[in-house]
């Protein structure tokens, strides 16, 4: 029922959209650089809107995908995994610049405080900058796209939360989709994919993501530690993000290695009563490996594209050029990804072998159990074959008719019958022993 309501809302929304909003026309904007006037105009309008909403006690606008009831649904399933957060209390926007003494956090772009009578645009003009936005709104996306001359295809990919990892090259920027994962082991969405969208300009870097992730903070902390030894450029910030995301896979892969080794050693030595949890452990471990393989496989192509296109870009062109030092660092990131893929494939083979060994051992134990049951049944059958003739003899002499020896006063007939039965039992037992029936 919920899906029907969502699809109806989508159809209604599509019918209301204008052709300019529904169709992606070719980008005819050939301007270069940053249009700071657009940013200033957006900041003024947003401040005015916030003041009006404060006076009217209205709720602040909602996130990108649910604003103005113009809901857009991702076709890849990640939308349904999200939970609503209290955005009014969340610092969604982070501004970093090596020229500033500290990182600036705010709830909106317009709330970025002025420093030494310098506005946001003044701080951006000083040099390399980095704007990180969590859950961007439609207005913020449109303003940034107009200010930095972002192609409509990039706007569409970000707003629809494109899940495929890729690197696209445009006239004045690179657009990179790169996947991480939920690293909270206590979360129900642990190891679920989380995508970050990186726009690398010649002037700076803009990143968007729709779930909280630790990578931007880790990169800023790393820059603070290495600030005196490196030249902070947009391509280095991009490298830092890709490297931190790649390194976040290492602890999980190391834990998988320990688990696989443990399963491989225990699967053949545990007793039957101790193996009840083994199949679940093998299945869960293989599920984690397949999820990590799915996240890592496409990353090598992204790194290759960045290095190839970045080295081809002219240094005096509108698109940022990739320095030789950063290209070496990206090659190291690619080596880490390849080694992780090789390790995961190796662990997958080991776990597959352990799975086969476990099933083979279960089959052997079941065969042994069946053989024991068959042995017991054969013994019972042999015992029955001895008792049936005895019952026949005693039944014949127990009928209410005349039988031999009925009127004998001594025990001759009785002792003869008992001796015959005993002889039959002994002979039957010897025969069964000879043929190893019992």
């Amino acid at each position: 029922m919920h899906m029907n309501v969502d699809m109806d809302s989508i159809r209604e929304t599509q019918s209301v959209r204008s052709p300019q909003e529904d169709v992606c026309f070719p980008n005819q904007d050939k301007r270069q650089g940053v249009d700071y006037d657009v940013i200033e105009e957006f900041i003024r309008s947003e401040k005015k809107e916030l003041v009006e909403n404060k006076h009217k006690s209205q709720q602040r606008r909602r996130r990108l995908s649910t604003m103005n009831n113009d809901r857009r649904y991702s076709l890849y399933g990640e939308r349904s995994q999200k939970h609503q957060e209290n955005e009014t209390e969340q610092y969604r926007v982070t501004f970093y610049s090596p020229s500033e003494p500290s990182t600036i956090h705010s709830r909106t772009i317009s709330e970025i405080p002025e420093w030494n009578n310098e506005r946001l645009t003044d701080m951006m003009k000083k040099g390399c900058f980095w704007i990180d936005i969590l859950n961007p709104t439609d207005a913020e996306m449109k303003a940034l796209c107009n200010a930095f001359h972002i192609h409509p295809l990039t706007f569409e990919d970000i707003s629809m939360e494109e899940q495929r990892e890729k690197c696209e090259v445009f006239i004045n920027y690179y657009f990179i989709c790169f996947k991480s994962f939920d690293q909270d082991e206590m979360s129900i969405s642990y190891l679920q994919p989380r995508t970050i969208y990186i726009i690398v300009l010649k002037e700076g870097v803009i990143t968007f993501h729709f779930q909280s992730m630790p990578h931007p903070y880790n990169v800023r902390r790393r820059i603070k530690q290495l600030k005196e030894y490196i030249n902070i450029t947009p391509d280095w910030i991009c490298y830092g993000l890709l490297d931190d995301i790649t390194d976040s896979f290492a602890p999980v892969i190391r834990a998988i290695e320990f688990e696989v080794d443990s399963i491989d050693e225990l699967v053949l030595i545990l007793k039957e009563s101790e193996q009840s949890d083994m199949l679940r452990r093998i299945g869960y471990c293989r599920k984690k490996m397949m999820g990590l393989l799915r996240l890592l496989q496409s990353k090598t192509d992204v790194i290759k594209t960045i290095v190839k296109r970045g080295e081809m870009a002219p240094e005096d062109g509108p698109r940022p050029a990739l320095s030789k030092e950063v290209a070496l660092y990206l090659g190291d990131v690619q080596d880490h990804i390849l080694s992780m893929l090789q390790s995961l494939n190796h662990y997958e083979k080991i776990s597959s072998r352990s799975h086969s060994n476990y099933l083979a051992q279960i089959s052997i134990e079941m065969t042994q159990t069946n053989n024991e049951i068959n042995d017991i049944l054969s013994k019972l059958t042999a015992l029955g074959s001895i008792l049936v003739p005895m019952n026949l003899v005693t039944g014949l002499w127990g009928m209410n008719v005349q039988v031999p020896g009925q009127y004998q006063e001594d025990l001759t007939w009785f002792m003869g019958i008992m001796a015959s039965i005993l002889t039959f039992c002994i002979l039957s037992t010897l025969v069964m022993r000879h043929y190893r029936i019992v």
Side-chain angles (χ1 to χ4, degrees), residues 147-197:
F148 295 99
H149 314 301
I150 305 300
H151 197 279
L153 289 175
T154 303
F155 175 84
E156 181 183 8
D157 286 342
I158 297 175
S159 62
M160 295 299 294
E161 300 179 46
E162 172 65 39
Q163 295 298 300
R164 187 177 71 86
E165 291 184 296
K166 60 183 178 179
C167 173
E168 294 181 343
V169 181
F170 292 87
I171 296 177
N172 59 324
Y173 65 92
Y174 300 97
F175 174 60
I176 302 169
C177 297
F178 214 68
K179 280 187 180 181
S180 179
F181 61 93
D182 188 357
Q183 302 177 27
D184 185 6
E185 296 184 2
M186 306 303 296
S187 174
I188 59 174
S189 60
Y190 177 56
L191 293 182
Q192 293 297 317
R194 297 289 181 260
T195 308
I196 185 170
Y197 305 93

Side-chain angles (χ1 to χ4, degrees), residues 35-49:
D35 193 344
Y36 296 103
D37 294 335
V38 174
I39 299 178
E40 292 288 346
E41 179 64 27
F42 171 73
I43 291 175
R44 286 193 295 268
S45 62
E46 190 174 48
K47 285 183 177 179
K48 182 179 179 181
E49 182 180 354

Side-chain angles (χ1 to χ4, degrees), residues 122-266:
D122 297 329
M123 291 185 287
M124 294 170 60
K125 292 176 182 178
K126 288 184 177 181
C128 177
F129 61 86
W130 178 12
I131 300 176
D132 179 68
I133 303 179
L134 171 65
N135 288 332
T137 62
D138 268 341
E140 290 171 345
M141 286 293 301
K142 291 178 180 178
L144 292 175
C145 288
N146 290 332
F148 295 99
H149 314 301
I150 305 300
H151 197 279
L153 289 175
T154 303
F155 175 84
E156 181 183 8
D157 286 342
I158 297 175
S159 62
M160 295 299 294
E161 300 179 46
E162 172 65 39
Q163 295 298 300
R164 187 177 71 86
E165 291 184 296
K166 60 183 178 179
C167 173
E168 294 181 343
V169 181
F170 292 87
I171 296 177
N172 59 324
Y173 65 92
Y174 300 97
F175 174 60
I176 302 169
C177 297
F178 214 68
K179 280 187 180 181
S180 179
F181 61 93
D182 188 357
Q183 302 177 27
D184 185 6
E185 296 184 2
M186 306 303 296
S187 174
I188 59 174
S189 60
Y190 177 56
L191 293 182
Q192 293 297 317
R194 297 289 181 260
T195 308
I196 185 170
Y197 305 93
I198 308 171
I199 297 177
V200 184
L201 301 154
K202 198 166 187 178
E203 296 81 8
V205 176
I206 308 174
T207 55
F208 304 94
H209 47 98
F210 293 88
Q211 300 89 15
S212 298
M213 51 180 57
H215 308 298
Y217 169 76
N218 293 340
V219 174
R220 290 194 296 268
R221 182 179 60 184
R222 183 179 178 185
I223 291 175
K224 183 178 180 181
Q225 296 172 349
L226 303 175
K227 191 173 183 180
E228 298 179 357
Y229 306 98
I230 61 174
N231 182 23
I232 302 173
T233 57
D235 56 348
W236 197 98
I237 295 175
C238 176
Y239 149 74
L241 284 170
L242 303 184
D243 185 54
D244 189 74
I245 293 174
T246 302
D247 290 343
S248 65
F249 287 85
V252 183
I253 296 177
R254 193 176 301 112
I256 289 177
E257 179 184 3
F258 295 150
E259 179 71 7
V260 169
D261 291 340
S262 174
I263 291 173
D264 191 43
E265 293 176 359
L266 295 176

Side-chain angles (χ1 to χ4, degrees), residues 318-370:
R319 190 169 66 243
L322 190 67
S323 65
K324 295 181 179 180
E325 184 179 7
V326 173
L328 291 175
Y329 290 153
L330 289 175
D332 182 66
V333 174
Q334 186 175 5
D335 291 340
H336 289 176
I337 295 173
L338 291 176
S339 63
M340 290 178 183
L341 286 173
Q342 292 175 357
S343 299
L344 285 174
N345 288 322
H346 177 64
Y347 302 149
E348 170 62 20
K349 291 180 181 179
I350 294 178
S351 62
S352 177
R353 185 189 64 187
S354 301
H355 199 173
S356 301
N357 292 340
Y358 173 76
L359 296 179
Q361 188 172 3
I362 294 297
S363 178
I364 292 173
E365 292 177 353
M366 291 181 64
T367 303
Q368 292 175 349
T369 304
N370 290 333

